[in-house]
Amino acid sequence: MKAHARGRLISVEGGEGAGKSSAMAAMRAAIVARGVELVQTREPGGTPVGEAIRQLLLDPAHGIVAESELLLMFAARAQLVREVIAPALQRGAWVLTDRFTDASFAYQGGGRGIDEAHIAELERWAAAIKPDLTLLLDVDVQQGHARLAGRGGDRDRIEREREDFFERVRAAYRRRAVAEPQRFRVIDASQAREAVTAAVLAVLDEALSRWT
Ligand code: TMP
């Protein structure tokens, strides 16, 4: 394998119940099997400060206004980029993250209706790293929710939003994928889990052959 001056950043995005966890586990195994150092993380979270912010953000007991929600997402992200992602990429490691800045454009931009210009400004200032590859696991909102319901457990503050919120989130993700076709790969996550995993691994393989 050729050595890269810099590692690679791969993000996985999607709505609720899209199957990100299984996709990430399969990707992790495939990357590690190639002997690459892999750092896996998630957003919001991934650092002690970020995980504390995550708890605050997802606790249904809090009423959080859209602006605070966006700023807290970026507070966690600024910490993650500086503490974890940038150092890993600099030493040539690969980073696999469960969500990144696209989620803020989809949830706070699409879902909450915050002007994209504010989000773009925060991105430039606080977290100016773009993934090399973003997988969007795209699934119908009702189907995603049915999967969530099947899993049981309490819904977090954001999962409690109404269906139209998630329709706007999905539409915003899809718009971003259309706008940046070189970076995004859209996976039909309505398929059975094995088919989704196979599609995810095929995308990863294609990216790996481009990069190595
Ligand atoms: P998760 O359930 O995929 O771990 O993500 C936590 C929740 O946070 C999920 O509902 C999506 C939401 N989120 C945002 O609203 N904006 C963001 O920037 C990120 C990273 C996540």
Side-chain angles (χ1 to χ4, degrees):
M1 203 192 92
K2 274 184 242 157
H4 280 285
R6 169 188 175 277
R8 302 285 178 188
L9 174 61
I10 302 173
S11 59
V12 180
E13 302 279 357
E16 322 298 302
K20 281 188 291 114
S21 308
S22 330
M24 296 218 17
M27 290 172 84
R28 180 195 181 91
I31 295 169
V32 168
R34 297 178 75 106
V36 176
E37 184 201 346
L38 180 70
V39 174
Q40 190 174 332
T41 190
R42 68 171 178 181
E43 278 219 86
T47 64
V49 166
E51 290 294 329
I53 293 173
R54 179 188 180 90
Q55 281 206 348
L56 188 64
L57 275 164
L58 298 185
D59 186 344
H62 301 311
I64 300 182
V65 299
E67 291 79 0
S68 302
E69 188 178 87
L70 176 68
L71 292 167
L72 286 168
M73 293 293 175
F74 269 95
R77 182 165 300 130
Q79 200 77 26
L80 183 67
V81 165
R82 284 157 187 78
E83 261 183 48
V84 177
I85 297 181
L89 295 178
Q90 270 155 25
R91 67 174 185 268
W94 289 24
V95 179
L96 178 60
T97 181
D98 184 340
R99 302 194 186 280
F100 199 55
T101 311
D102 294 300
S104 294
F105 283 98
Y107 282 79
Q108 283 67 53
R112 303 280 186 226
I114 293 181
D115 188 336
E116 275 201 3
H118 296 313
I119 307 174
E121 178 58 28
L122 286 170
E123 181 184 26
R124 266 193 300 280
W125 176 61
I129 290 184
K130 277 254 183 196
D132 297 283
L133 171 69
T134 298
L135 276 86
L136 173 57
L137 303 186
D138 181 54
V139 68
D140 175 79
V141 170
Q142 286 190 352
Q143 193 182 343
H145 274 97
R147 284 184 186 158
L148 263 194
R151 214 178 288 160
D154 287 342
R155 294 195 169 194
D156 66 38
R157 190 181 60 83
I158 296 177
E159 287 167 349
R160 291 173 189 215
E161 283 300 329
R162 289 178 6 199
E163 196 172 312
D164 59 320
F165 173 86
F166 294 105
E167 292 290 359
R168 293 195 298 278
V169 169
R170 183 184 187 202
Y173 267 136
R174 287 160 65 112
R175 279 198 301 276
R176 290 186 70 72
V178 169
E180 285 186 69
Q182 341 64 323
R183 174 164 72 88
F184 271 93
R185 293 291 178 276
V186 182
I187 310 275
D188 173 5
S190 67
Q191 309 171 85
R193 188 192 292 193
E194 303 71 46
V196 174
T197 302
V200 163
L201 290 179
V203 163
L204 184 64
D205 244 25
E206 179 246 330
L208 286 165
S209 59
R210 266 189 286 131
W211 294 343
T212 51

